[in-house]
Amino acid sequence: MAYENILSDYQNGITTITINRPKKLNALNKATIQELHDAFDAANKDVDTKVIIITGSGEKAFVAGADISEFADFSVEEGGQLAVQGQALLFDFVENLDTPVIAAVNGFALGGGLELAMSCHFRIASANARMGLPETSLGVIPGYGGTQRLPQLVGKGRAMEMIMTAGMIDANQALSYGLVNHVVEQAELLPLCEKIAGKIMRNSSVAIAEAIRSVNASYKDGINGFAIEIESFGNCFGTEDFAEGTSAFLEKRKADFPGK
């Protein structure tokens, strides 16, 4: 598929999606959100893709925010629909993908950019990365899940401070907060993501999908995460991956999982 605002590249079990609007610091507009949805959907359905990495082009920005010019004159109703559609199309969609998604945060991740990174299953940052939710400085609040996911990741107090001050934190502070898992120099960012992806790919894609479902369940209102875990655990017993994994263990050999 041809894209105007992103790049999608498959290599050795990994699909790397790159937001490619460097002159706009990779800001998210409607067209880019739609293309990201399409690229994530295609990668998730691709039986050969075991891990997805999302990053930004250049060395300045992962995503420096949303394209404010698109919604500066929106009404109350239009603003609400913007959030509803964006969450469904991209942010919630990414969080609930069966395929693991790693955010390679290669610079500024602000507003919708940080919200996109937080919707991924985990994050790795370059040393020059800066993260924040500056929406209150514009008279609005984060609308793509930021008020929900940030407290889950860093705690209520830290999230309140970040949102209320509209300030940025650096990569090392993000690491200490638990917002990112690792911090490396820019040149090491994608290689580390690929190294971790390699470790993920040794394991059962089917089991990983059930694990994602189970972990996410604990953050959903009205859902009993323990019950989902029990259900997912049971589901695994009926899969080819379980038969192969247990046989390989008992036979003292490396498992050769069938895949998605």
Side-chain angles (χ1 to χ4, degrees), residues 62-107:
F62 174 71
V63 173
D67 195 332
I68 297 168
S69 64
E70 283 196 335
F71 59 80
D73 60 351
F74 271 19
S75 67
V76 170
E77 290 76 15
E78 289 171 321
Q81 280 303 304
L82 181 72
V84 167
Q85 292 166 4
Q87 288 189 27
L89 198 62
L90 182 60
F91 302 87
D92 291 351
F93 184 76
V94 169
E95 180 179 69
N96 293 300
L97 287 180
D98 293 333
T99 307
V101 183
I102 304 171
V105 183
N106 58 306

Side-chain angles (χ1 to χ4, degrees), residues 15-31:
T15 292
T16 301
I17 300 171
T18 305
I19 302 163
N20 190 33
R21 303 184 75 211
K23 291 182 180 179
K24 295 285 189 179
L25 294 179
N26 302 323
L28 295 178
N29 59 5
K30 289 182 181 178

Side-chain angles (χ1 to χ4, degrees), residues 7 19 86 109 158 181 205 238:
L7 305 170
I19 302 163
R158 285 170 172 163
N181 289 22
S205 294

Side-chain angles (χ1 to χ4, degrees), residues 174-192:
L175 180 65
S176 72
Y177 279 9
L179 186 53
V180 301
N181 289 22
H182 307 276
V183 174
V184 294
E185 292 303 316
Q186 181 85 234
E188 300 171 26
L189 180 60
L190 285 178
L192 178 58

Side-chain angles (χ1 to χ4, degrees), residues 76-216:
V76 170
E77 290 76 15
E78 289 171 321
Q81 280 303 304
L82 181 72
V84 167
Q85 292 166 4
Q87 288 189 27
L89 198 62
L90 182 60
F91 302 87
D92 291 351
F93 184 76
V94 169
E95 180 179 69
N96 293 300
L97 287 180
D98 293 333
T99 307
V101 183
I102 304 171
V105 183
N106 58 306
F108 289 110
L110 304 176
L114 181 54
E115 290 174 301
L116 176 58
M118 291 191 295
S119 72
C120 300
H121 298 126
F122 60 92
R123 291 143 294 283
I124 300 171
S126 58
N128 68 313
R130 299 291 183 273
M131 299 168 220
L133 295 174
E135 285 86 348
T136 58
S137 70
L138 301 173
V140 71
I141 69 168
Y144 288 144
T147 65
Q148 306 304 298
R149 292 189 179 96
L150 188 61
Q152 292 170 3
L153 291 165
V154 307
K156 181 179 178 181
R158 285 170 172 163
M160 285 288 198
E161 181 179 351
M162 287 178 65
I163 291 168
M164 290 178 185
T165 62
M168 290 186 288
I169 61 174
D170 63 24
N172 286 325
Q173 195 168 3
L175 180 65
S176 72
Y177 279 9
L179 186 53
V180 301
N181 289 22
H182 307 276
V183 174
V184 294
E185 292 303 316
Q186 181 85 234
E188 300 171 26
L189 180 60
L190 285 178
L192 178 58
C193 290
E194 290 164 2
K195 180 180 179 181
I196 294 173
K199 293 180 179 180
I200 292 171
M201 287 190 287
R202 297 173 193 164
N203 304 314
S204 163
S205 294
V206 175
I208 287 170
E210 292 288 0
I212 291 170
R213 176 174 175 248
S214 298
V215 173
N216 283 345

